[in-house]
Amino acid sequence: MGVEIERKFLVTRELWRPRNDGVAFRQGYLSRVEDRVVRVRTAGGAAFLTIKGRTSNVTRSEFEYPIPVEDAQLMLDRLCERPLIEKTRYEEVFGGHIWTVDVFQGENDGLIVAEIELGSEEEIFDRPGWLGREVSGDPRYFNSELSKRPFGYWDAP
């Protein structure tokens, strides 16, 4: 079984600058129920169908499969719930780990989130200076939730 152990943090905009060009992501949800989400995503020139289970602490099951880009684009345009998630993803290496930094656009403009995938929930890791408050336990920051209630409509983060 595929398992994802991930911690999520806000990024301090004034302290972080991308070191590469990033990759454009467009993603949408075919299903967003409490026990699972089914996501379609294009990332650069690739596309994926992903099924994620319910989160327990910072761990959840995850299954991801490559699909034809043309199929993904049709699903995003015709089948996925609205709004879609649009973001640019950057990778940053720090302390022996790869951090992904997502800069959101569209209805989630203004939100920047960093994620780190770990081998265990107890794994110790170094935190870059641009890292802000941890939001791993706040479901509002799940992409599936951001597609239901975008950041741009929040009263305060």
Side-chain angles (χ1 to χ4, degrees):
M1 173 183 357
V3 174
E4 173 186 64
I5 302 171
E6 180 178 82
R7 305 262 307 261
K8 190 177 293 217
F9 299 82
L10 297 179
V11 171
T12 305
R13 178 184 307 273
E14 301 78 29
L15 301 178
W16 177 77
R17 295 288 175 261
R19 297 180 185 170
N20 54 52
D21 291 336
V23 175
F25 278 58
R26 187 172 173 238
Q27 67 188 45
Y29 293 87
L30 298 168
S31 172
R32 292 183 300 211
V33 296
E34 193 171 333
D35 288 332
R36 74 195 148 290
V37 296
V38 180
R39 175 185 74 201
V40 176
R41 169 188 277 176
T42 58
F48 304 91
L49 180 68
T50 306
I51 299 103
K52 294 187 178 201
R54 180 191 294 251
T55 300
S56 174
N57 200 12
V58 293
T59 303
R60 64 180 162 185
S61 57
E62 176 182 59
F63 304 91
E64 186 166 79
Y65 307 97
I67 61 173
V69 172
E70 298 78 17
D71 290 355
Q73 289 170 339
L74 283 171
M75 285 187 260
L76 287 164
D77 291 341
R78 297 181 185 171
L79 300 176
C80 289
E81 299 173 13
R82 296 292 188 257
L84 298 177
I85 297 289
E86 301 168 278
K87 61 187 177 181
T88 303
R89 175 164 286 175
Y90 301 88
E91 287 191 352
E92 301 282 349
V93 177
F94 185 85
H97 284 91
I98 297 174
W99 291 82
T100 58
V101 178
D102 289 339
V103 178
F104 290 83
Q105 291 97 33
E107 295 188 53
N108 288 293
D109 190 47
L111 180 61
I112 304 176
V113 175
E115 299 174 351
I116 183 172
E117 289 201 21
L118 302 170
S120 75
E121 289 189 5
E122 297 78 27
E123 184 175 344
I124 304 296
F125 57 92
D126 295 325
R127 297 173 187 227
W130 41 261
L131 211 59
R133 175 172 59 94
E134 183 166 7
V135 294
S136 300
D138 188 340
R140 294 180 304 165
Y141 291 95
F142 292 171
N143 282 269
S144 59
E145 291 296 318
L146 289 169
S147 74
K148 285 194 270 188
R149 187 166 171 251
F151 180 76
Y153 299 102
W154 296 7
D155 291 335

